[in-house]
Amino acid sequence: MAELIDFYGRHLRYVRISITDRCNFRCSYCMPAEGVECLSHADILRYEDISFLCGTFWDLGVRKFRFTGGEPLVRKGLVPFLAQLKEEFPKMKLALTTNASLLDRYAPELAKIGLHSLNISLDTLDPVKFAEVTRIGSLSDVITGIRAAVRAGIPNLKLNAVLIKGFNDHEIGGLLRFAKEEGLLLRLIEFMPLEDDVWSRERFISGSEILAMLPDGDAWKVEKRGTDEDGPAKYYVNEKTGDTIGIITAVSDHFCEKCNRLRVSASGKLRMCLFSAEEIPLAQMIRNHDKAGLEQLILESIKRKPRCWDDIHDGKQHMSGIGG
Ligand code: SAM
Ligand code: SF4
């Protein structure tokens, strides 16, 4: 069986697929206030095409797929699609990243199909700040969604918060308490410089600064670096309370040398690196279900996966369009 091994010897076994570029929020660090120009429906991959794509990656050794967006749950038919994919490939690990605003409706079905893990993005527990950062979101919908996911018994629930100086850096203790009470693992994420208009060094907090800001100071001891399985977070355990927290340092202490992931946009463009502008259009071959051609194109493309993001970063990307 052909495997996805890039020029630097990295095995690529994890693919993140954007289900849609549309979103019901407009998070200020992810997209501009006016939103982004959306793809037309004709340009978005159909579910049967995504299924074909996943099957092709499966045959190339990819074992885990994360569905993201935009907001994946705004696209109709996502849950039946995931159920069908799981039926076709029972050993495939299916994961989802969501803003949780629609989880109340979908959590029981997601639990039933055997979702492997669910990442929920929530940066603040202050309803006013939440409305401000998401521009149109409601915190209570998100909390209702989180509770529905816990109640439904979805495994491996993580709460991801992007830390931004002057916005939510004083909320770490509150987020930690909330995650513990609700039964989720909190991960704090460095603000990534995808868009120069939005990101600034003054607002950036590095992983080591985040660690120093945790309540209980020195009680946090590093447990492990995340594996292929649980992503690039470094996990810390509080020796006093037994709590665990993850810190994701994509900027200050990147994990490029261990990167095992690829991304595919909602219109079927393969992206070797989150920060790279290079995209390989796969849509034609996917739509034609040309499996041999698609495998060949993917195998050739991955040879160009960059060594490291700071070799290629141009500061002109919107996370919502790439699929974070
Ligand atoms: N809408 C879904 C959500 O919010 O979870 C999935 C897509 S969203 C683009 C995926 C993740 O990217 C979210 O956790 C969001 O916080 C994160 N994100 C967006 N822009 C970011 C940035 N500049 N730096 C770090 N994380 C970012
Ligand atoms: Fe939408 Fe997620 Fe981006 Fe917020 S972070 S605008 S919820 S895609």
Side-chain angles (χ1 to χ4, degrees):
M1 179 180 84
E3 286 205 33
L4 295 180
I5 303 175
D6 75 3
F7 181 76
Y8 299 98
R10 294 171 295 195
H11 270 74
L12 311 177
R13 297 198 177 98
Y14 175 22
V15 173
R16 298 165 74 103
I17 298 179
S18 175
I19 283 294
T20 174
D21 60 339
R22 286 161 203 257
C23 188
N24 52 352
F25 289 0
R26 298 266 175 283
C27 300
S28 56
Y29 55 76
C30 179
M31 60 166 83
E34 65 280 11
V36 284
E37 202 179 317
C38 284
L39 292 165
S40 74
H41 284 294
D43 288 332
I44 301 259
L45 292 181
R46 298 168 305 177
Y47 283 124
E48 63 195 85
D49 297 329
I50 302 175
S51 186
F52 171 75
L53 176 67
C54 292
T56 306
F57 274 123
W58 175 262
D59 289 343
L60 291 170
V62 172
R63 293 293 172 260
K64 181 172 171 187
F65 294 85
R66 175 170 299 282
F67 298 97
T68 176
E71 172 48 44
L73 289 170
V74 301
R75 180 160 173 190
K76 273 203 192 115
L78 176 68
V79 180
F81 156 70
L82 293 176
Q84 207 176 337
L85 192 60
K86 192 71 185 160
E87 210 175 292
E88 206 178 326
F89 299 94
K91 293 201 169 146
M92 220 178 236
K93 284 185 178 152
L94 305 184
L96 191 66
T97 299
T98 175
N99 63 26
S101 58
L102 302 171
L103 259 187
D104 187 32
R105 192 181 317 163
Y106 295 115
E109 293 169 76
L110 286 170
K112 206 153 61 181
I113 65 174
L115 199 68
H116 172 262
S117 59
L118 182 65
N119 289 357
I120 294 171
S121 310
L122 175 61
D123 308 312
T124 174
L125 292 166
D126 174 335
V128 176
K129 286 196 161 196
F130 184 87
E132 184 189 304
V133 73
T134 61
R135 296 185 177 116
I136 41 177
S138 143
L139 178 63
S140 65
D141 290 350
V142 169
I143 292 180
T144 305
I146 291 173
R147 292 188 174 145
V150 174
R151 228 179 12 255
I154 297 177
N156 303 313
L157 284 175
K158 299 192 196 83
L159 193 71
N160 288 340
V162 179
L163 268 205
I164 302 178
K165 199 172 278 174
F167 172 65
N168 60 354
D169 44 340
H170 60 288
E171 283 200 60
I172 298 179
L175 286 164
L176 197 56
R177 248 188 328 275
F178 173 79
K180 186 176 178 175
E181 280 163 16
E182 303 294 337
L184 294 89
L185 174 61
L186 177 66
R187 303 191 310 171
L188 302 173
I189 302 176
E190 284 181 351
F191 186 20
M192 293 190 262
L194 284 156
E195 261 183 274
D196 286 344
D197 291 350
V198 176
W199 191 86
S200 73
R201 184 148 289 285
E202 292 71 53
R203 310 199 75 194
F204 173 75
I205 312 175
S206 70
S208 52
E209 288 170 313
I210 295 174
L211 189 57
M213 289 158 72
L214 296 183
D216 286 337
D218 292 345
W220 296 92
K221 300 290 173 233
V222 64
E223 186 191 45
K224 62 176 171 109
R225 186 94 191 190
T227 58
D228 281 6
E229 260 306 289
D230 47 23
K234 214 183 224 178
Y235 288 95
Y236 297 83
V237 175
N238 184 320
E239 289 186 326
K240 281 198 221 154
T241 61
D243 296 340
T244 303
I245 197 167
I247 301 182
I248 301 185
T249 55
V251 182
S252 68
D253 179 17
H254 61 69
F255 24 81
C256 302
E257 73 284 357
K258 292 210 188 99
C259 181
N260 66 347
R261 53 185 66 181
L262 291 169
R263 292 180 154 80
V264 181
S265 74
S267 60
K269 292 188 175 126
L270 178 69
R271 211 178 241 262
M272 263 73 72
C273 171
L274 179 58
F275 291 91
S276 157
E278 187 185 9
E279 295 181 318
I280 315 293
L282 306 180
Q284 185 87 38
M285 282 181 184
I286 298 174
R287 288 184 202 279
N288 293 341
H289 288 205
D290 175 0
K291 192 164 163 93
L294 184 59
E295 280 191 2
Q296 197 52 37
L297 181 56
I298 294 170
L299 284 163
E300 273 165 23
S301 304
I302 60 148
K303 291 186 194 146
R304 295 204 299 283
K305 184 170 164 75
R307 183 191 64 86
C308 180
W309 72 265
D310 54 13
D311 293 351
I312 42 112
H313 162 238
D314 68 2
K316 293 194 177 69
Q317 321 289 324
H318 297 302
M319 186 74 112
S320 61
I322 306 167

